[in-house]
Amino acid sequence: MTYEFLWFEGLPFPVWGYNIEDIKETCTKFVIKDEDTIIVTYPKSGTRWLREILCLIHSKGYTKWIQSVPIWKCSSWLETRQGCKFLNESERQRLLTSHLPFHLFPKSLFTSKAKVVYIMRNPKDVLVSGYYLWTTLKLTKKPESFKQYFKWFIQGNVPYGSWFEHIHGWMSMRDRENVLLLSYEDLQKDPRSTIEKICQFVGKKLNPEELDSVLENSSFHVMKQNKMSNYEILPENLITKHVSMTRKGICGDWKNHFTVAQAETFHKVYQEKMAGFPKDLFPWE
Ligand code: A3P
């Protein structure tokens, strides 16, 4: 079966698990509460990694929750009906996840004190990671080749639209007190300090053993074994067996995939679209 995209307000969404009415309802009516913590990412930027870290911080390093409950229940998708249902049923403090671009995000956020953690990643690695996911996940339109996916990504014809627009929108919030901006690259380089920063931001004090547990249990090799976060428990009609949400987990994999011409094209587009930002805001070259 071939899937296309689901379109809402000019933005492509995956087909499975989504419908226009739910997305519309979330974007226009969802009420964000002051005590919510919201993970916002462009797909393939380290969403599950950050979710695992925040869940572990919330449970003070105890692993029972993340090892017994699917990650999409621990921290549910705002833009899906199922996700909203889990959020409304949750008896814990809510931990929301969303890939929505800034302009579609529920407006109740802007009058709330909810905490937003936005993680960004080198868009070239996002592109490569997305290529592997969308070619193997049976949720959406599939590219026939890397070359084709490269073109779609530059045009913003991929789930959740343009990376450039996503980052532009959310960067406008970066100086707000209730927004923490992180990068996949910094999390790789110094996970302990980044996790400490997150703890401070969400107001959770962890002792050194608890912090060690968060660090260990959110590491790539442990997450790869955790069926609740690596999507191994998704039914086979949605995911091919060999796809893993924890694929390589490295920085710079784009160098193994881009041709010289693609690297030049990307560089040119990047320079044009990101011209207004200070260079040192982003930790990639
Ligand atoms: P790769 O495909 O480059 O390996 P998302 O969760 O937003 O879909 O992002 C997926 C990317 O995050 C994948 O990148 C995945 O391997 C990486 N990732 C997931 N858990 C990780 C971890 N604990 N450490 C490092 N990278 C991780």
Side-chain angles (χ1 to χ4, degrees):
M1 187 167 178
T2 359
Y3 293 111
E4 286 299 314
F5 293 128
L6 197 68
W7 291 89
F8 176 71
E9 300 274 333
L11 202 77
F13 284 84
V15 177
W16 193 89
Y18 293 76
N19 80 57
I20 300 291
E21 283 312 308
D22 298 344
I23 301 171
K24 195 170 168 191
E25 174 110 5
T26 287
C27 297
T28 54
K29 298 201 182 126
F30 192 89
V31 180
I32 303 284
K33 299 179 184 168
D34 285 345
E35 57 278 16
D36 289 340
T37 301
I38 312 160
I39 296 168
V40 184
T41 66
Y42 183 84
K44 311 318 292 170
S45 303
T47 321
R48 278 157 207 89
W49 193 6
L50 186 57
R51 272 169 141 182
E52 201 90 329
I53 289 171
L54 272 157
C55 289
L56 281 160
I57 291 175
H58 274 256
S59 46
K60 295 209 152 213
Y62 288 105
T63 55
K64 194 173 164 223
W65 190 33
I66 56 152
Q67 286 176 356
S68 58
V69 179
I71 190 77
W72 58 87
K73 279 194 182 175
C74 297
S75 168
S76 301
W77 293 108
L78 186 56
E79 52 269 25
T80 65
R81 171 162 303 179
Q82 195 61 22
C84 286
K85 185 171 165 277
F86 293 144
L87 285 169
N88 293 330
E89 286 167 1
S90 171
E91 283 161 17
R92 292 171 176 253
Q93 187 190 350
R94 298 194 307 183
L95 192 52
L96 293 66
T97 306
S98 178
H99 288 318
L100 283 175
F102 180 69
H103 70 283
L104 290 182
F105 205 84
K107 300 291 171 274
S108 52
L109 170 68
F110 308 114
T111 48
S112 85
K113 295 186 183 120
K115 295 194 159 86
V116 175
V117 187
Y118 186 89
I119 188 160
M120 57 185 177
R121 185 183 190 188
N122 185 338
K124 292 186 268 192
D125 286 335
V126 167
L127 188 160
V128 171
S129 184
Y131 169 70
Y132 283 101
L133 180 77
W134 306 121
T135 41
T136 41
L137 207 59
K138 301 172 184 171
L139 298 180
T140 192
K141 191 170 166 181
K142 272 187 212 318
E144 278 163 19
S145 61
F146 183 75
K147 190 174 164 194
Q148 186 179 51
Y149 188 77
F150 181 90
K151 207 164 139 196
W152 289 358
F153 187 91
I154 298 269
Q155 294 166 339
N157 259 330
V158 289
Y160 288 92
S162 160
W163 178 89
F164 297 100
E165 282 169 26
H166 206 275
I167 201 111
H168 267 274
W170 283 103
M171 281 300 121
S172 66
M173 295 278 283
R174 71 182 187 273
D175 292 328
R176 291 213 184 187
E177 239 174 42
N178 63 332
V179 176
L180 176 67
L181 177 63
L182 299 174
S183 74
Y184 182 94
E185 288 71 18
D186 287 344
L187 195 50
Q188 279 275 6
K189 202 161 85 186
D190 192 350
R192 182 176 289 273
S193 313
T194 311
I195 291 171
E196 280 171 343
K197 207 193 257 187
I198 301 172
C199 288
Q200 199 177 11
F201 179 70
V202 296
K204 296 267 180 212
K205 277 203 171 81
L206 267 54
N207 67 34
E209 291 77 37
E210 292 164 347
L211 191 65
D212 284 346
S213 171
V214 176
L215 201 55
E216 167 63 14
N217 290 295
S218 62
S219 67
F220 187 77
H221 69 277
V222 174
M223 277 184 64
K224 208 172 173 63
Q225 303 305 319
N226 184 0
K227 287 195 168 68
M228 296 297 152
S229 56
N230 68 13
Y231 278 39
E232 251 181 66
I233 54 169
L234 271 185
E236 264 182 71
N237 62 331
L238 293 184
I239 196 159
T240 51
K241 270 295 157 199
H242 62 277
V243 71
S244 173
M245 293 292 160
T246 34
R247 189 185 62 91
K248 271 197 183 172
I250 58 167
C251 299
D253 196 29
W254 67 270
K255 292 176 193 153
N256 302 317
H257 292 80
F258 282 33
T259 62
V260 173
Q262 283 170 337
E264 281 169 9
T265 303
F266 199 99
H267 182 72
K268 196 160 165 263
V269 173
Y270 187 93
Q271 295 303 314
E272 277 166 19
K273 302 222 183 219
M274 303 294 280
F277 288 115
K279 290 235 168 0
D280 59 2
L281 191 57
F282 306 110
W284 47 81
E285 73 273 30

